[in-house]
Amino acid sequence: MTKKVEKKAAVDAADLVSRGAGQKPLAARAAEKPSVKPAKPSGARQGFKPSEFIVYPAHGVGQILAIEEQEVAGFKLELFVISFVKDKMILKVPTPKVASVGMRKLAEADVVRKALDTLAGRARVKRTMWSRRAQEYEAKINSGDLISIAEVVRDLYRSDSQPEQSYSERQLYEAALDRMAREVVVVQKLTETESLKLIEAQLQKGPRRGKAEEADVEEADAEIEEAA
């Protein structure tokens, strides 16, 4: 058997192995070039589509402007291009990552109603150090869950007759209020002012802690921090 015949036999044998593995012949695969299908800007991905409003946990309500392709390290990657108008920010999220980052659709109307009802409930303040409570509040805000965000708004709300919030309390309260108001705006098709008035009206319906109880909580904070 000549070397030429031996070489052909080797190639044929390799092709047979490739076919047995459920793959195309080696010769055919070598001749093929990697093909990449361009993204279809008008199509939906992972249940989301362009022009749709969504909630991104770390930033709140945004709008998908487009679905585009970008080459990263030689690979084509599909990305959601999301605009957060109030923050003047554009975020690009890989379409396969939406579940892991917690991106979700807007809350249904019944969830919004439940969140608004939560505002009218009794505030629940744990008798722990403020630093620990602040971490819990921040985690709730960044969870993207509308009910959890409503709980932060409820717990940190202060009426005119109550003691003023500390600077850090005010920051967390405003962050939670902003997140909630933006989602209510889009779901209920309100203006920002109308959304804030609706939330304020719900908060005023709830039983408020008196000054004495607030003083007890502040005193407990001081005692715990001193002990630490």
Side-chain angles (χ1 to χ4, degrees):
M1 186 179 290
T2 64
K3 289 184 178 180
K4 186 175 182 179
V5 174
E6 289 175 352
K7 184 176 180 180
K8 184 177 183 306
V11 170
D12 289 343
D15 283 348
L16 287 172
V17 172
S18 297
R19 290 191 187 99
Q23 299 177 354
K24 292 183 178 179
L26 292 176
R29 284 190 290 140
E32 288 181 348
K33 291 183 179 179
S35 60
V36 178
K37 293 182 179 180
K40 297 178 181 178
S42 60
R45 299 290 187 281
Q46 306 292 330
F48 298 95
K49 59 184 182 296
S51 300
E52 180 178 4
F53 285 94
I54 56 87
V55 174
Y56 191 89
H59 303 294
V61 175
Q63 185 176 26
I64 299 175
L65 299 181
I67 300 171
E68 68 175 27
E69 271 193 350
Q70 184 174 319
E71 188 167 329
V72 180
F75 294 94
K76 295 289 184 181
L77 189 63
E78 274 190 348
L79 302 163
F80 287 115
V81 182
I82 305 171
S83 170
F84 298 89
V85 176
K86 194 169 182 180
D87 299 325
K88 298 179 180 178
M89 179 179 70
I90 298 292
L91 185 68
K92 294 186 177 182
V93 181
T95 56
K97 295 287 187 182
V98 294
S100 61
V101 300
M103 191 170 110
R104 66 169 173 83
K105 290 182 175 292
L106 292 173
E108 297 289 339
D110 61 330
V111 176
V112 173
R113 283 195 297 272
K114 186 176 179 181
L116 290 170
D117 289 342
T118 297
L119 298 177
R122 182 176 295 280
R124 299 178 181 177
V125 179
K126 295 181 180 179
R127 296 177 68 86
T128 58
M129 289 179 63
W130 163 248
S131 58
R132 183 172 298 176
R133 293 206 309 274
Q135 289 177 349
E136 292 177 359
Y137 289 143
E138 191 168 359
K140 283 187 173 184
I141 293 170
N142 291 328
S143 72
D145 180 76
L146 188 59
I147 305 298
S148 295
I149 293 170
E151 290 173 352
V152 177
V153 175
R154 177 199 65 198
D155 293 350
L156 293 178
Y157 171 72
R158 298 291 183 273
S159 65
D160 293 338
S161 63
Q162 291 177 287
E164 292 185 3
Q165 297 162 315
S166 67
Y167 176 73
S168 55
E169 281 181 319
R170 186 72 188 173
Q171 280 190 314
L172 286 171
Y173 172 74
E174 290 180 350
L177 179 63
D178 181 64
R179 293 284 180 87
M180 184 173 184
R182 288 197 210 184
E183 191 158 359
V184 172
V185 162
V186 182
V187 175
Q188 297 202 350
K189 296 179 173 56
L190 303 173
T191 65
E192 185 175 352
T193 300
E194 289 170 339
S195 176
L196 290 170
K197 284 183 177 179
L198 176 61
I199 291 171
E200 176 73 18
Q202 285 297 110
L203 287 166
Q204 291 179 356
K205 290 179 182 178
R208 297 294 115 206
R209 292 190 304 271
K211 290 186 178 181
E213 188 175 345
E214 288 288 350
D216 287 344
V217 172
E218 291 176 1
E219 185 179 342
D221 282 345
E223 289 175 357
I224 292 170
E225 287 173 4
E226 286 177 8

